[in-house]
Amino acid sequence: QANIPVGIYRSSVDGRFLSANPAMIRILGFDNEKEMFAVKAADLYIKPSQRQEFIDKISRDGSVSAYELQLIRKDGSSFWAAVTAKSFTNPQDNQIYFDGLLEDITVQKEAQEQLRQSKERLDIILQNIGNGVMVIDQDQNIILMNRRTRELLGFSSDQPDLRTLKAALENCRDQGLILLNSLEQDYFRNLPLTIEKPYPRILYITATPFTDIDGRSAGKIFILADVTREKEIEQMKTDFVSSVSHELRTPITSIMGFAKTIMLNSNISREDLTEFINIIFNESERLANLIEDVLSISRIESGRVSYKFKSVDIVKIIENVYQIYKMQAEEKGLKITLELTAGLPQVMADQDSIHQVLVNLIGNAIKFTESGGSVKIRLFQQQGGIILEVEDTGMGIPLKDQDKIFEKFYRVHRPGKEIQGTGLGLSIVKQIIDAHRGHITLISKENQGTTFRIILPCPGQEETKKNID
Ligand code: ATP
Ligand code: MG
């Protein structure tokens, strides 16, 4: 009995010890039974109130099982104990006694605490990393998944819990068939998974198997990375190269051609020379504009563009751009007019960007309107902000192209009358207006004309409504 590592004792309800085995005495750090019996049970508790809780529980239930408490040894050090005890009434004196087993569980408690801490740390990491993490068992039930996984798979936080892999792949193209078909492979890396709802995304999935205690396969751990942006950039680069290289090559070929002609002909006429130099100049201008657009896009997309928002007078900017285009419009036989409301409030905007917006919209209006047509630029106020309209009586934009023209490099195909351009202008306009928390819409009818309308929010706008129609 002396060797059992479990303490065995009997105590009275008022906390006197009546018996204890050697292990009990040793666990509590006493030298002998006499020394231990001199101590009241309540004095062994770290918190005396815990003794009362213990008595309450055992009185209520008749027994306790593996009841955990913190006790103090003779030397003052503390330890965790698990007590299993039963109360009984002695018929001789009608008093209540407890018979109990006591085990020192400090080591287990510490291990448990370490486990808890490492689990908590893991949980914090899981919930906060940018990647999705999901664990499934052999039957494709979800054992664990972090918040990010739900987001990436297109679920909102108020949707019910996902229990199976199949349910989790509901928003994917073909219900995630590509992933389901890959499950036989132990490992895979960067499997592209397309999410279709609520909006399109591309994920890369990496899978690693894990095993149970016997080394049998128990399930898989998936890491989900959102590569939508990277894919977009990749696509953009491809589009960019094909679209821009063509646009670059054409003017360069003609610049080089005409420059060479001038170089090789020493007796070229004054008239020809002027014409050739004009072409060279125009082509260079086209190149310069293209390069400027490309740089704008790359600045905007890389986030390197810094808008300097300050109070600006849009009327001034319009008049400025109008001056630039007036000649060009008239040369082409177009009537260009301004309809500006006086006394409009200033808006918070970046001056250069708004200038660029106007250059693009007015430039397009002139470019896509044939001789005899007209271009109107309007500025007025309405509930919701300042409205800027550029209206033309030109060739219009077919309905099927209308929602695409703000995409980079998107151009309307007009067989037989292709007009120069790279398709960057409107995407620059859109990005600038977005950055100003504004809105751009269009109304257009083929062969009748197009109106682009921009709404810019203005601060502290009063309830003034003006109708200018
Ligand atoms: P860039 O502006 O880069 O020189 P672009 O003018 O072709 O080239 P965007 O300004 O982005 O490109 O316009 C995209 C397309 O939308 C144009 O190719 C054109 O077909 C159509 N579009 C734009 N504005 C008008 C307009 N006012 N009337 C008719 N079509 C237009
Ligand atoms: Mg344009």
Side-chain angles (χ1 to χ4, degrees):
Q1 207 201 31
N3 295 323
I4 306 178
V6 178
I8 304 175
Y9 68 94
R10 170 171 293 178
S11 66
S12 65
V13 80
D14 57 0
R16 276 175 302 114
F17 283 104
L18 304 171
S19 72
N21 70 343
M24 180 77 181
I25 297 168
R26 200 177 55 244
I27 291 171
L28 287 166
F30 292 107
D31 294 332
N32 52 54
E33 196 173 64
K34 197 166 154 248
E35 208 179 63
M36 177 173 160
F37 287 3
V39 176
K40 287 275 195 157
D43 295 335
L44 298 174
Y45 286 77
I46 257 190
K47 286 186 227 122
S49 66
Q50 279 189 341
R51 166 77 180 166
Q52 195 53 49
E53 282 166 26
F54 173 78
I55 289 176
D56 288 349
K57 180 156 174 60
I58 198 167
S59 310
R60 197 171 57 236
D61 303 343
S63 66
V64 293
S65 173
Y67 188 87
E68 292 183 359
L69 26 98
Q70 264 184 299
L71 298 179
I72 315 170
R73 295 189 192 96
K74 177 187 160 190
D75 64 5
S77 60
S78 69
F79 69 101
W80 276 96
V83 176
T84 298
K86 200 172 162 10
S87 76
F88 67 95
T89 310
N90 186 344
Q92 274 141 32
D93 57 7
N94 235 359
Q95 291 277 331
I96 294 170
Y97 292 94
F98 305 135
D99 273 347
L101 299 177
L102 181 145
E103 244 182 307
D104 183 343
I105 55 160
T106 308
V107 175
Q108 290 99 302
K109 267 297 216 201
E110 273 167 10
Q112 231 177 51
E113 173 60 12
Q114 261 170 26
L115 202 67
R116 191 195 64 78
Q117 277 186 20
S118 73
K119 198 173 162 311
E120 185 179 314
R121 279 196 295 264
L122 202 66
D123 224 47
I124 293 174
I125 295 172
L126 266 186
Q127 294 305 341
N128 291 293
I129 49 172
N131 283 337
V133 177
M134 174 163 64
V135 183
I136 60 163
D137 67 14
Q138 277 300 70
D139 302 322
Q140 300 181 14
N141 293 311
I142 296 173
I143 305 173
L144 181 154
M145 116 194 248
N146 65 352
R147 264 194 298 267
R148 185 74 179 133
T149 303
R150 285 181 70 93
E151 279 170 31
L152 291 177
L153 292 174
F155 295 93
S156 63
S157 52
D158 53 305
Q159 279 169 304
D161 267 357
L162 297 166
R163 295 186 191 287
T164 62
L165 180 63
K166 198 163 167 283
L169 299 177
E170 198 183 280
N171 297 324
C172 303
R173 171 173 302 164
D174 303 327
Q175 272 68 49
L177 199 66
I178 183 169
L179 178 61
L180 296 171
N181 284 345
S182 307
L183 289 177
E184 285 157 34
Q185 303 170 39
D186 276 345
Y187 296 86
F188 50 85
R189 280 184 68 80
N190 298 348
L191 180 84
L193 182 69
T194 307
I195 310 291
E196 289 179 333
K197 287 175 286 181
Y199 47 90
R201 266 190 195 186
I202 299 172
L203 310 183
Y204 269 174
I205 314 288
T206 294
T208 316
F210 66 97
T211 51
D212 65 11
I213 204 161
D214 302 320
R216 280 187 302 251
S217 175
K220 273 200 172 58
I221 303 171
F222 297 112
I223 310 284
L224 294 75
D226 187 351
V227 293
T228 315
R229 184 80 186 124
E230 284 86 340
K231 287 279 163 197
E232 261 173 31
I233 292 171
E234 237 171 69
Q235 184 58 44
M236 197 189 112
K237 279 187 194 146
T238 317
D239 291 350
F240 175 81
V241 171
S242 61
S243 199
V244 171
S245 53
H246 171 77
E247 288 294 320
L248 286 175
R249 212 174 282 134
T250 326
I252 285 178
T253 312
S254 101
I255 291 172
M256 282 169 63
F258 284 102
K260 200 162 191 181
T261 311
I262 297 171
M263 271 172 359
L264 295 178
N265 290 296
S266 43
N267 50 1
I268 197 165
S269 76
R270 183 72 220 171
E271 221 169 84
D272 284 351
L273 190 63
T274 313
E275 191 196 329
F276 295 170
I277 287 178
N278 246 315
I279 295 173
I280 290 177
F281 181 81
N282 287 337
E283 293 295 287
S284 314
E285 196 176 33
R286 205 173 122 195
L287 264 184
N289 286 339
L290 171 64
I291 290 167
E292 199 40 58
D293 277 358
V294 168
L295 290 178
S296 276
I297 280 281
S298 101
R299 269 195 303 268
I300 290 173
E301 307 232 319
S302 64
R304 266 184 297 120
V305 64
S306 58
Y307 296 103
K308 289 184 207 69
F309 287 99
K310 52 179 194 202
S311 200
V312 299
D313 183 357
I314 306 247
V315 171
K316 282 226 181 75
I317 309 177
I318 294 179
E319 280 167 348
N320 213 320
V321 179
Y322 174 76
Q323 287 308 327
I324 300 174
Y325 276 114
K326 209 170 97 159
M327 280 268 285
Q328 195 181 322
E330 277 160 9
E331 266 169 28
K332 200 178 165 184
L334 299 177
K335 207 171 143 238
I336 180 165
T337 48
L338 296 183
E339 289 175 21
L340 311 179
T341 311
L344 290 180
Q346 303 218 322
V347 292
M348 292 302 287
D350 177 72
Q351 177 127 7
D352 293 344
S353 302
I354 298 296
H355 182 94
Q356 205 175 358
V357 165
L358 281 157
V359 164
N360 275 304
L361 290 184
I362 299 173
N364 279 348
I366 294 173
K367 184 160 76 168
F368 297 105
T369 304
E370 279 130 9
S371 175
S374 65
V375 174
K376 273 186 201 142
I377 301 148
R378 282 196 208 94
L379 186 73
F380 56 97
Q381 187 173 21
Q382 228 182 43
Q383 246 169 338
I386 299 279
I387 316 280
L388 168 70
E389 283 182 357
V390 178
E391 181 185 318
D392 65 54
T393 58
M395 50 188 66
I397 300 167
L399 204 61
K400 65 170 174 46
D401 298 301
Q402 288 187 8
D403 58 342
K404 302 207 194 84
I405 52 166
F406 294 105
E407 288 169 18
K408 281 180 292 280
F409 303 112
Y410 192 86
R411 307 192 60 236
V412 178
H413 283 292
R414 295 184 174 88
K417 39 178 173 180
E418 288 292 345
I419 293 169
Q420 274 180 15
T422 21
L424 285 175
L426 285 179
S427 76
I428 294 173
V429 167
K430 173 93 169 75
Q431 306 217 36
I432 291 174
I433 297 304
D434 284 350
H436 283 73
R437 300 188 186 293
H439 223 70
I440 180 161
T441 53
L442 75 143
I443 301 171
S444 183
K445 213 161 183 181
E446 264 184 283
N447 302 319
Q448 291 190 18
T450 305
T451 305
F452 279 94
R453 165 183 266 231
I454 288 171
I455 305 176
L456 287 174
C458 59
Q461 160 134 57
E462 289 140 70
E463 295 280 292
T464 43
K465 192 172 176 181
K466 281 188 188 139
N467 257 327
I468 306 187
D469 281 309

